[in-house]
Amino acid sequence: MDRRSFISKAAIGSAGILTFPAVDNTSYSIDREKDKIKIVLRYIKNNWDKTIIMDKPGKGFDGVDIPYPYSSPSIIGEGHFTFFFYWDNYFTNLGLMLHGRADQVKNHIKNILWFIDEQGFMPNH
């Protein structure tokens, strides 16, 4: 299932938020919403590996090859944002830790330390 189909089926995402049901006793089902959240969490957990990138020599963003694998904010091949963003890492790392992926969090930390060592700061591409 591609990302767009998944989001429309789960009714989560920017369009789903706009049409989120009003909370009243007749139309709102907490159990139904919990099921949708479980679907989203399962989708995220099952797709972590599809977000991990290892720069090939000479192919990194703006000529910079990041030394350790990193998670992009998009599934590879389905999104346009396949870069290592400083500000995304906090939230990405929370999800990775929740799903037992401390190995990838360590890679992110090593990449940030590498940027600081190489450039004196962590750029926000």
Side-chain angles (χ1 to χ4, degrees):
M1 173 182 320
D2 71 6
R3 182 172 37 114
R4 289 185 198 281
S5 298
F6 168 78
I7 290 171
S8 64
K9 283 185 187 232
I12 301 292
S14 58
I17 290 170
L18 294 175
T19 60
F20 197 77
V23 178
D24 64 35
N25 292 332
T26 60
S27 67
Y28 185 75
S29 166
I30 290 175
D31 289 334
R32 188 179 73 207
E33 296 309 316
K34 283 182 181 178
D35 289 343
K36 289 178 183 179
I37 291 169
K38 287 178 186 176
I39 291 168
V40 171
L41 291 175
R42 188 170 39 248
Y43 177 83
I44 291 169
K45 185 176 184 176
N46 291 338
N47 285 285
W48 280 123
D49 288 336
K50 295 178 184 177
T51 70
I52 298 173
I53 297 171
M54 182 66 202
D55 284 345
K56 293 180 174 86
K59 302 291 184 181
F61 178 74
D62 207 21
V64 177
D65 299 328
I66 299 174
Y68 301 97
Y70 58 94
S71 299
S72 74
S74 298
I75 290 176
I76 299 166
E78 290 188 25
H80 301 287
F81 302 103
T82 55
F83 310 118
F84 183 69
F85 285 105
Y86 174 71
W87 42 265
D88 285 338
N89 269 277
Y90 174 77
F91 299 103
T92 300
N93 288 342
L94 288 176
L96 287 165
M97 291 297 291
L98 178 70
H99 290 135
R101 300 295 304 262
D103 58 324
Q104 191 56 40
V105 173
K106 289 177 187 175
N107 284 332
H108 291 167
I109 293 167
K110 290 189 284 187
N111 281 327
I112 291 170
L113 292 172
W114 177 83
F115 269 112
I116 292 169
D117 192 44
E118 289 290 312
Q119 298 186 9
F121 66 101
M122 174 62 209
N124 194 27
H125 292 120

